[in-house]
Amino acid sequence: MKFLIIIKSPPVSQVVHEIAVSTISELLKKDSVEISGIFFTDCSAAIASKGITQISSLETVQSSYLNLSKEKSIPMYVCGRAYMELGLDKASIQDGFNLSGNMELSMMMCSAEKIVEF
């Protein structure tokens, strides 16, 4: 079963992000599950910023997604519009995150069997 994960919660909602990473990890323990991507939008787009590492607790949020992505080969996408509306420059995006748009999100939504939002 193909899942798309959409993250909308702000970076300071650390418990929500812990639950998201834990849930994704649990889903991947099943052989029949594939995560097509993790898409960060709204306030969560700030998680992809290099500057977020200045606050250690928020660096932990970013690191948890980066580690999950690397270990499980899950692509991570960030809504470009949301990122820029937060006043962030595209040059400040952390390696491991890819700026994306509504077209890519729509395509991923169409190909996913399940969409989970945090």
Side-chain angles (χ1 to χ4, degrees):
M1 182 169 290
K2 196 171 189 178
F3 282 76
L4 169 62
I5 309 297
I6 298 176
I7 309 291
K8 295 177 83 174
S9 299
V12 296
S13 298
Q14 294 170 302
V15 173
V16 173
H17 296 291
E18 289 171 9
I19 292 169
V21 170
S22 174
T23 301
I24 296 166
S25 296
E26 287 299 314
L27 283 171
L28 289 169
K29 289 180 180 178
K30 299 176 184 173
D31 290 334
S32 62
V33 170
E34 174 190 346
I35 307 291
S36 60
I38 301 173
F39 194 92
F40 296 85
T41 189
D42 296 337
C43 294
S44 75
I47 292 170
S49 172
K50 290 178 183 176
I52 205 165
T53 60
Q54 295 175 0
I55 302 170
S56 62
S57 59
L58 300 183
E59 180 180 21
T60 302
V61 170
Q62 185 187 73
S63 295
S64 65
Y65 285 111
L66 286 169
N67 292 336
L68 180 66
S69 172
K70 186 176 180 181
E71 289 172 13
K72 305 296 184 180
S73 299
I74 302 170
M76 295 194 299
Y77 304 97
V78 180
C79 176
R81 174 175 275 189
Y83 194 76
M84 290 177 204
E85 284 179 356
L86 291 171
L88 300 167
D89 184 83
K90 61 183 177 182
S92 72
I93 196 158
Q94 180 67 42
D95 291 341
F97 293 91
N98 303 296
L99 284 178
S100 188
N102 288 331
M103 178 63 79
E104 291 86 359
L105 177 59
S106 297
M107 290 169 49
M108 286 187 284
M109 290 175 96
C110 288
S111 66
E113 296 172 75
K114 298 273 184 184
I115 299 171
V116 180
E117 183 178 309
F118 294 94

PDB file of all heavy atoms in Angstrom, residues 13-40:
ATOM      1  N   SER A  13       5.721  22.132  17.512  1.00  0.00           N
ATOM      2  CA  SER A  13       4.833  21.049  17.949  1.00  0.00           C
ATOM      3  C   SER A  13       5.627  19.743  17.961  1.00  0.00           C
ATOM      4  O   SER A  13       5.338  18.800  17.226  1.00  0.00           O
ATOM      5  CB  SER A  13       3.626  20.932  17.020  1.00  0.00           C
ATOM      6  OG  SER A  13       2.863  22.103  17.052  1.00  0.00           O
ATOM      7  N   GLN A  14       6.616  19.701  18.833  1.00  0.00           N
ATOM      8  CA  GLN A  14       7.567  18.599  18.839  1.00  0.00           C
ATOM      9  C   GLN A  14       6.911  17.246  19.066  1.00  0.00           C
ATOM     10  O   GLN A  14       7.302  16.259  18.450  1.00  0.00           O
ATOM     11  CB  GLN A  14       8.649  18.853  19.881  1.00  0.00           C
ATOM     12  CG  GLN A  14       9.503  20.047  19.501  1.00  0.00           C
ATOM     13  CD  GLN A  14      10.417  20.454  20.615  1.00  0.00           C
ATOM     14  OE1 GLN A  14       9.975  20.766  21.711  1.00  0.00           O
ATOM     15  NE2 GLN A  14      11.707  20.444  20.331  1.00  0.00           N
ATOM     16  N   VAL A  15       5.918  17.190  19.921  1.00  0.00           N
ATOM     17  CA  VAL A  15       5.248  15.916  20.200  1.00  0.00           C
ATOM     18  C   VAL A  15       4.577  15.390  18.931  1.00  0.00           C
ATOM     19  O   VAL A  15       4.651  14.198  18.633  1.00  0.00           O
ATOM     20  CB  VAL A  15       4.233  16.062  21.357  1.00  0.00           C
ATOM     21  CG1 VAL A  15       3.418  14.790  21.528  1.00  0.00           C
ATOM     22  CG2 VAL A  15       4.947  16.422  22.648  1.00  0.00           C
ATOM     23  N   VAL A  16       3.972  16.268  18.174  1.00  0.00           N
ATOM     24  CA  VAL A  16       3.330  15.856  16.915  1.00  0.00           C
ATOM     25  C   VAL A  16       4.376  15.272  15.971  1.00  0.00           C
ATOM     26  O   VAL A  16       4.145  14.234  15.339  1.00  0.00           O
ATOM     27  CB  VAL A  16       2.589  17.032  16.245  1.00  0.00           C
ATOM     28  CG1 VAL A  16       2.077  16.651  14.864  1.00  0.00           C
ATOM     29  CG2 VAL A  16       1.453  17.522  17.125  1.00  0.00           C
ATOM     30  N   HIS A  17       5.545  15.892  15.894  1.00  0.00           N
ATOM     31  CA  HIS A  17       6.592  15.404  14.996  1.00  0.00           C
ATOM     32  C   HIS A  17       7.176  14.083  15.486  1.00  0.00           C
ATOM     33  O   HIS A  17       7.492  13.208  14.676  1.00  0.00           O
ATOM     34  CB  HIS A  17       7.666  16.473  14.799  1.00  0.00           C
ATOM     35  CG  HIS A  17       7.122  17.681  14.114  1.00  0.00           C
ATOM     36  ND1 HIS A  17       6.735  17.664  12.783  1.00  0.00           N
ATOM     37  CD2 HIS A  17       6.855  18.927  14.571  1.00  0.00           C
ATOM     38  CE1 HIS A  17       6.266  18.856  12.454  1.00  0.00           C
ATOM     39  NE2 HIS A  17       6.325  19.631  13.523  1.00  0.00           N
ATOM     40  N   GLU A  18       7.285  13.925  16.793  1.00  0.00           N
ATOM     41  CA  GLU A  18       7.732  12.639  17.331  1.00  0.00           C
ATOM     42  C   GLU A  18       6.743  11.536  16.963  1.00  0.00           C
ATOM     43  O   GLU A  18       7.145  10.441  16.567  1.00  0.00           O
ATOM     44  CB  GLU A  18       7.882  12.720  18.853  1.00  0.00           C
ATOM     45  CG  GLU A  18       9.047  13.564  19.308  1.00  0.00           C
ATOM     46  CD  GLU A  18       9.046  13.808  20.814  1.00  0.00           C
ATOM     47  OE1 GLU A  18       8.233  13.186  21.551  1.00  0.00           O
ATOM     48  OE2 GLU A  18       9.859  14.634  21.263  1.00  0.00           O
ATOM     49  N   ILE A  19       5.466  11.840  17.083  1.00  0.00           N
ATOM     50  CA  ILE A  19       4.427  10.869  16.720  1.00  0.00           C
ATOM     51  C   ILE A  19       4.481  10.570  15.225  1.00  0.00           C
ATOM     52  O   ILE A  19       4.347   9.420  14.808  1.00  0.00           O
ATOM     53  CB  ILE A  19       3.029  11.376  17.144  1.00  0.00           C
ATOM     54  CG1 ILE A  19       2.927  11.398  18.669  1.00  0.00           C
ATOM     55  CG2 ILE A  19       1.920  10.534  16.518  1.00  0.00           C
ATOM     56  CD1 ILE A  19       1.710  12.129  19.205  1.00  0.00           C
ATOM     57  N   ALA A  20       4.685  11.606  14.412  1.00  0.00           N
ATOM     58  CA  ALA A  20       4.759  11.409  12.959  1.00  0.00           C
ATOM     59  C   ALA A  20       5.907  10.476  12.592  1.00  0.00           C
ATOM     60  O   ALA A  20       5.715   9.502  11.850  1.00  0.00           O
ATOM     61  CB  ALA A  20       4.923  12.753  12.246  1.00  0.00           C
ATOM     62  N   VAL A  21       7.095  10.747  13.113  1.00  0.00           N
ATOM     63  CA  VAL A  21       8.263   9.919  12.794  1.00  0.00           C
ATOM     64  C   VAL A  21       8.055   8.498  13.299  1.00  0.00           C
ATOM     65  O   VAL A  21       8.349   7.524  12.583  1.00  0.00           O
ATOM     66  CB  VAL A  21       9.552  10.552  13.374  1.00  0.00           C
ATOM     67  CG1 VAL A  21      10.730   9.589  13.279  1.00  0.00           C
ATOM     68  CG2 VAL A  21       9.866  11.858  12.649  1.00  0.00           C
ATOM     69  N   SER A  22       7.510   8.363  14.483  1.00  0.00           N
ATOM     70  CA  SER A  22       7.236   7.042  15.048  1.00  0.00           C
ATOM     71  C   SER A  22       6.210   6.281  14.210  1.00  0.00           C
ATOM     72  O   SER A  22       6.380   5.086  13.928  1.00  0.00           O
ATOM     73  CB  SER A  22       6.733   7.194  16.484  1.00  0.00           C
ATOM     74  OG  SER A  22       6.340   5.964  17.009  1.00  0.00           O
ATOM     75  N   THR A  23       5.159   6.965  13.807  1.00  0.00           N
ATOM     76  CA  THR A  23       4.111   6.340  12.990  1.00  0.00           C
ATOM     77  C   THR A  23       4.663   5.887  11.641  1.00  0.00           C
ATOM     78  O   THR A  23       4.371   4.774  11.188  1.00  0.00           O
ATOM     79  CB  THR A  23       2.932   7.314  12.780  1.00  0.00           C
ATOM     80  OG1 THR A  23       2.404   7.671  14.064  1.00  0.00           O
ATOM     81  CG2 THR A  23       1.844   6.690  11.920  1.00  0.00           C
ATOM     82  N   ILE A  24       5.453   6.731  11.017  1.00  0.00           N
ATOM     83  CA  ILE A  24       6.056   6.377   9.725  1.00  0.00           C
ATOM     84  C   ILE A  24       6.953   5.158   9.890  1.00  0.00           C
ATOM     85  O   ILE A  24       6.898   4.213   9.084  1.00  0.00           O
ATOM     86  CB  ILE A  24       6.837   7.562   9.126  1.00  0.00           C
ATOM     87  CG1 ILE A  24       5.885   8.712   8.801  1.00  0.00           C
ATOM     88  CG2 ILE A  24       7.617   7.138   7.886  1.00  0.00           C
ATOM     89  CD1 ILE A  24       6.571  10.041   8.533  1.00  0.00           C
ATOM     90  N   SER A  25       7.745   5.138  10.946  1.00  0.00           N
ATOM     91  CA  SER A  25       8.632   3.996  11.205  1.00  0.00           C
ATOM     92  C   SER A  25       7.838   2.714  11.411  1.00  0.00           C
ATOM     93  O   SER A  25       8.214   1.657  10.898  1.00  0.00           O
ATOM     94  CB  SER A  25       9.501   4.265  12.438  1.00  0.00           C
ATOM     95  OG  SER A  25      10.354   5.351  12.218  1.00  0.00           O
ATOM     96  N   GLU A  26       6.740   2.811  12.145  1.00  0.00           N
ATOM     97  CA  GLU A  26       5.888   1.630  12.373  1.00  0.00           C
ATOM     98  C   GLU A  26       5.243   1.155  11.075  1.00  0.00           C
ATOM     99  O   GLU A  26       5.159  -0.043  10.823  1.00  0.00           O
ATOM    100  CB  GLU A  26       4.813   1.935  13.424  1.00  0.00           C
ATOM    101  CG  GLU A  26       5.337   2.018  14.834  1.00  0.00           C
ATOM    102  CD  GLU A  26       5.970   0.715  15.314  1.00  0.00           C
ATOM    103  OE1 GLU A  26       5.380  -0.356  15.120  1.00  0.00           O
ATOM    104  OE2 GLU A  26       7.085   0.795  15.882  1.00  0.00           O
ATOM    105  N   LEU A  27       4.781   2.090  10.268  1.00  0.00           N
ATOM    106  CA  LEU A  27       4.175   1.719   8.982  1.00  0.00           C
ATOM    107  C   LEU A  27       5.166   0.948   8.114  1.00  0.00           C
ATOM    108  O   LEU A  27       4.810  -0.033   7.460  1.00  0.00           O
ATOM    109  CB  LEU A  27       3.705   2.961   8.228  1.00  0.00           C
ATOM    110  CG  LEU A  27       2.417   3.610   8.677  1.00  0.00           C
ATOM    111  CD1 LEU A  27       2.217   4.947   7.967  1.00  0.00           C
ATOM    112  CD2 LEU A  27       1.232   2.685   8.420  1.00  0.00           C
ATOM    113  N   LEU A  28       6.411   1.388   8.133  1.00  0.00           N
ATOM    114  CA  LEU A  28       7.425   0.784   7.270  1.00  0.00           C
ATOM    115  C   LEU A  28       7.865  -0.605   7.730  1.00  0.00           C
ATOM    116  O   LEU A  28       8.554  -1.307   6.997  1.00  0.00           O
ATOM    117  CB  LEU A  28       8.634   1.713   7.145  1.00  0.00           C
ATOM    118  CG  LEU A  28       8.361   2.958   6.308  1.00  0.00           C
ATOM    119  CD1 LEU A  28       9.492   3.963   6.446  1.00  0.00           C
ATOM    120  CD2 LEU A  28       8.129   2.593   4.850  1.00  0.00           C
ATOM    121  N   LYS A  29       7.447  -1.003   8.903  1.00  0.00           N
ATOM    122  CA  LYS A  29       7.749  -2.356   9.372  1.00  0.00           C
ATOM    123  C   LYS A  29       6.919  -3.402   8.631  1.00  0.00           C
ATOM    124  O   LYS A  29       7.245  -4.579   8.638  1.00  0.00           O
ATOM    125  CB  LYS A  29       7.522  -2.473  10.878  1.00  0.00           C
ATOM    126  CG  LYS A  29       8.568  -1.722  11.681  1.00  0.00           C
ATOM    127  CD  LYS A  29       8.325  -1.863  13.160  1.00  0.00           C
ATOM    128  CE  LYS A  29       9.394  -1.091  13.940  1.00  0.00           C
ATOM    129  NZ  LYS A  29       9.144  -1.170  15.390  1.00  0.00           N
ATOM    130  N   LYS A  30       5.870  -2.939   7.984  1.00  0.00           N
ATOM    131  CA  LYS A  30       5.011  -3.839   7.199  1.00  0.00           C
ATOM    132  C   LYS A  30       5.563  -3.918   5.785  1.00  0.00           C
ATOM    133  O   LYS A  30       5.848  -2.905   5.153  1.00  0.00           O
ATOM    134  CB  LYS A  30       3.580  -3.319   7.184  1.00  0.00           C
ATOM    135  CG  LYS A  30       2.966  -3.228   8.563  1.00  0.00           C
ATOM    136  CD  LYS A  30       1.591  -2.613   8.518  1.00  0.00           C
ATOM    137  CE  LYS A  30       1.056  -2.459   9.926  1.00  0.00           C
ATOM    138  NZ  LYS A  30      -0.194  -1.731   9.960  1.00  0.00           N
ATOM    139  N   ASP A  31       5.709  -5.116   5.281  1.00  0.00           N
ATOM    140  CA  ASP A  31       6.275  -5.320   3.943  1.00  0.00           C
ATOM    141  C   ASP A  31       5.437  -4.690   2.838  1.00  0.00           C
ATOM    142  O   ASP A  31       5.964  -4.298   1.802  1.00  0.00           O
ATOM    143  CB  ASP A  31       6.441  -6.814   3.653  1.00  0.00           C
ATOM    144  CG  ASP A  31       7.540  -7.437   4.492  1.00  0.00           C
ATOM    145  OD1 ASP A  31       8.467  -6.708   4.904  1.00  0.00           O
ATOM    146  OD2 ASP A  31       7.468  -8.657   4.739  1.00  0.00           O
ATOM    147  N   SER A  32       4.155  -4.594   3.055  1.00  0.00           N
ATOM    148  CA  SER A  32       3.260  -4.108   2.002  1.00  0.00           C
ATOM    149  C   SER A  32       3.174  -2.585   1.931  1.00  0.00           C
ATOM    150  O   SER A  32       2.465  -2.044   1.093  1.00  0.00           O
ATOM    151  CB  SER A  32       1.860  -4.683   2.228  1.00  0.00           C
ATOM    152  OG  SER A  32       1.356  -4.239   3.481  1.00  0.00           O
ATOM    153  N   VAL A  33       3.915  -1.874   2.786  1.00  0.00           N
ATOM    154  CA  VAL A  33       3.804  -0.419   2.854  1.00  0.00           C
ATOM    155  C   VAL A  33       4.989   0.245   2.165  1.00  0.00           C
ATOM    156  O   VAL A  33       6.133  -0.127   2.349  1.00  0.00           O
ATOM    157  CB  VAL A  33       3.706   0.062   4.316  1.00  0.00           C
ATOM    158  CG1 VAL A  33       3.828   1.574   4.403  1.00  0.00           C
ATOM    159  CG2 VAL A  33       2.402  -0.400   4.938  1.00  0.00           C
ATOM    160  N   GLU A  34       4.664   1.258   1.374  1.00  0.00           N
ATOM    161  CA  GLU A  34       5.667   2.107   0.728  1.00  0.00           C
ATOM    162  C   GLU A  34       5.278   3.554   0.998  1.00  0.00           C
ATOM    163  O   GLU A  34       4.118   3.923   0.877  1.00  0.00           O
ATOM    164  CB  GLU A  34       5.673   1.840  -0.782  1.00  0.00           C
ATOM    165  CG  GLU A  34       6.571   2.767  -1.557  1.00  0.00           C
ATOM    166  CD  GLU A  34       6.379   2.649  -3.061  1.00  0.00           C
ATOM    167  OE1 GLU A  34       5.752   1.680  -3.527  1.00  0.00           O
ATOM    168  OE2 GLU A  34       6.831   3.561  -3.765  1.00  0.00           O
ATOM    169  N   ILE A  35       6.244   4.365   1.389  1.00  0.00           N
ATOM    170  CA  ILE A  35       6.009   5.791   1.599  1.00  0.00           C
ATOM    171  C   ILE A  35       6.538   6.509   0.360  1.00  0.00           C
ATOM    172  O   ILE A  35       7.735   6.482   0.084  1.00  0.00           O
ATOM    173  CB  ILE A  35       6.722   6.322   2.858  1.00  0.00           C
ATOM    174  CG1 ILE A  35       6.376   5.502   4.100  1.00  0.00           C
ATOM    175  CG2 ILE A  35       6.428   7.810   3.059  1.00  0.00           C
ATOM    176  CD1 ILE A  35       4.968   5.638   4.599  1.00  0.00           C
ATOM    177  N   SER A  36       5.645   7.117  -0.406  1.00  0.00           N
ATOM    178  CA  SER A  36       6.071   7.779  -1.644  1.00  0.00           C
ATOM    179  C   SER A  36       6.790   9.088  -1.367  1.00  0.00           C
ATOM    180  O   SER A  36       7.567   9.555  -2.195  1.00  0.00           O
ATOM    181  CB  SER A  36       4.889   8.010  -2.574  1.00  0.00           C
ATOM    182  OG  SER A  36       3.924   8.822  -1.961  1.00  0.00           O
ATOM    183  N   GLY A  37       6.540   9.685  -0.197  1.00  0.00           N
ATOM    184  CA  GLY A  37       7.216  10.920   0.150  1.00  0.00           C
ATOM    185  C   GLY A  37       6.618  11.548   1.383  1.00  0.00           C
ATOM    186  O   GLY A  37       5.533  11.180   1.834  1.00  0.00           O
ATOM    187  N   ILE A  38       7.377  12.478   1.941  1.00  0.00           N
ATOM    188  CA  ILE A  38       6.907  13.299   3.044  1.00  0.00           C
ATOM    189  C   ILE A  38       6.884  14.724   2.504  1.00  0.00           C
ATOM    190  O   ILE A  38       7.889  15.214   1.995  1.00  0.00           O
ATOM    191  CB  ILE A  38       7.842  13.195   4.274  1.00  0.00           C
ATOM    192  CG1 ILE A  38       7.947  11.741   4.747  1.00  0.00           C
ATOM    193  CG2 ILE A  38       7.341  14.105   5.395  1.00  0.00           C
ATOM    194  CD1 ILE A  38       8.983  11.518   5.842  1.00  0.00           C
ATOM    195  N   PHE A  39       5.727  15.357   2.591  1.00  0.00           N
ATOM    196  CA  PHE A  39       5.540  16.695   2.035  1.00  0.00           C
ATOM    197  C   PHE A  39       5.272  17.677   3.168  1.00  0.00           C
ATOM    198  O   PHE A  39       4.302  17.536   3.903  1.00  0.00           O
ATOM    199  CB  PHE A  39       4.373  16.696   1.039  1.00  0.00           C
ATOM    200  CG  PHE A  39       4.311  17.914   0.173  1.00  0.00           C
ATOM    201  CD1 PHE A  39       4.945  17.932  -1.057  1.00  0.00           C
ATOM    202  CD2 PHE A  39       3.630  19.050   0.588  1.00  0.00           C
ATOM    203  CE1 PHE A  39       4.899  19.063  -1.870  1.00  0.00           C
ATOM    204  CE2 PHE A  39       3.576  20.180  -0.217  1.00  0.00           C
ATOM    205  CZ  PHE A  39       4.217  20.189  -1.449  1.00  0.00           C
ATOM    206  N   PHE A  40       6.150  18.664   3.326  1.00  0.00           N
ATOM    207  CA  PHE A  40       6.029  19.680   4.362  1.00  0.00           C
ATOM    208  C   PHE A  40       5.371  20.922   3.756  1.00  0.00           C
ATOM    209  O   PHE A  40       5.830  21.438   2.736  1.00  0.00           O
ATOM    210  CB  PHE A  40       7.403  20.057   4.908  1.00  0.00           C
ATOM    211  CG  PHE A  40       8.099  18.919   5.604  1.00  0.00           C
ATOM    212  CD1 PHE A  40       8.840  17.998   4.882  1.00  0.00           C
ATOM    213  CD2 PHE A  40       8.002  18.774   6.975  1.00  0.00           C
ATOM    214  CE1 PHE A  40       9.485  16.939   5.516  1.00  0.00           C
ATOM    215  CE2 PHE A  40       8.643  17.722   7.618  1.00  0.00           C
ATOM    216  CZ  PHE A  40       9.381  16.799   6.887  1.00  0.00           C
TER     217      PHE A  40
END
